[in-house]
Amino acid sequence: MQALPRAAALALAVAAALCGGAAAQTPPLKVGLMLPYTGTYAALGDMIEKGFKLYVQEQGGKLGGREIQYFKVDDESEPSKAIDNANKLVKRDQVDVLVGTVHSGVALAMARVAKENNTLLIVPNAGAGDITGAQCAPNIFRSSFSNWQPGYGSGVVAAGKGYKRAITITWSYAAGAEAVKGFTEGFEKGGGKVIKDLSLPFPNVEFQALLTEIAAQKPDVVFAFFAGGGAPKFLKDYDAAGLKKSIPFIASGFVTDGTLEAAGPSGQGVLTTLHYADNIDTPRNNAFRKSFALAYKANADVYAVQGYDAAQMLGIGLSAVKGDFAKREALQAAMAKAVIDSPRGKFSLSRQHNPVQDIFLREAKGMNNEFRSVAVKALADPGRGCKM
Ligand code: BEZ
């Protein structure tokens, strides 16, 4: 090999040092995961984190060429601590992106902090309508659903089955109230009537008095919203009260997602509506479930899908600006017009940044929520109150 002249070799060495130095100076993108790691929704937070990290791992640990550094806060699904918790990530840790959370009340506070600080926020579960409604903003995105969407789907299915009188039962906070609103809209549009709304404070599981009321009223159908640790208790109590075999039941899919093992026989055969079904037989969903099972020795659920898709959305934005997070407008514009290749099926975002997606009717069989039919095609949340 011919030796390089001394000056050329020196110039090359300087260039290499400069390039290497510049690359080494590009800091990782800081992602703040604000999720419940304790309490009723702990398992949901865990699955969201696993899904998010799985997508990043599949991209070689980088999004848009940037390494990802994680910061974590347990929000305990506690709205009263939400502003402080979000500020731990935004002000103390100086994260670039906030990802969270599960509980609607906590997520609404996160949206306020994100808006005040112009921090990019991706909501990987909480369905509060206002996040992509009255509180919508160019820097706020959701990879999951609005509470209204699966509730509306249940209403359409229940009316389609010819039921006329319904009772609803849920936790009395934004998620439950909005799911009931969606159900009522879908059901009453189809000719049904909601005769009574029953509720108890989150995360209480003393359902007995309310179940006695349902038994006394004998409606044609019961609609419910429960999730996480409270859901299997509800299914067991509904069954033990003799209602599973006497009064038809339908719910937003969270009641059986990730809860079937704990619910035992009381969960079997339960009909729900949601934007995901475990056995969607597409190469995309099959590959995702295989990859998730390999990585975590566990089956994916809807929460894992939403975490995975939150990372995909961020990846699309970062790739559009070649990892240059300072180009925020271009990054957000790319996210807003993205088509996300989700395990649930491809979806795009509404003008208010909420997924426009099919709502499936599912039936719980074994440990899976199996696809039965498309209850509502390409359902968009109304996004009421959004001025963007
Ligand atoms: C919510 O608070 O928005 C929520 C929590 C669990 C499952 C679905 C929605």
Side-chain angles (χ1 to χ4, degrees), residues 50-88:
K50 286 188 161 112
F52 192 98
K53 289 186 168 170
L54 179 65
Y55 183 76
V56 175
Q57 274 162 26
E58 287 176 356
Q59 312 312 306
K62 294 182 179 178
L63 295 179
R66 294 281 297 271
E67 301 273 356
I68 302 296
Q69 183 181 10
Y70 294 104
F71 294 78
K72 282 170 62 163
V73 163
D74 176 8
D75 69 41
E76 305 167 46
S77 295
E78 181 46 69
S80 67
K81 299 182 184 170
I83 298 271
D84 282 352
N85 280 331
N87 277 327
K88 281 183 196 157

Side-chain angles (χ1 to χ4, degrees), residues 35-36 38-42 74-79 101-103 106 202:
L35 292 166
T38 53
T40 297
Y41 288 158
D74 176 8
D75 69 41
E76 305 167 46
S77 295
E78 181 46 69
T101 186
V102 169
H103 184 287
V106 178
F202 173 84

Side-chain angles (χ1 to χ4, degrees), residues 41 102-105 170-178 200 202 225:
Y41 288 158
V102 169
H103 184 287
S104 275
T170 187
W171 280 315
S172 47
Y173 82 103
E178 292 174 4
L200 73 170
F202 173 84
F225 168 91

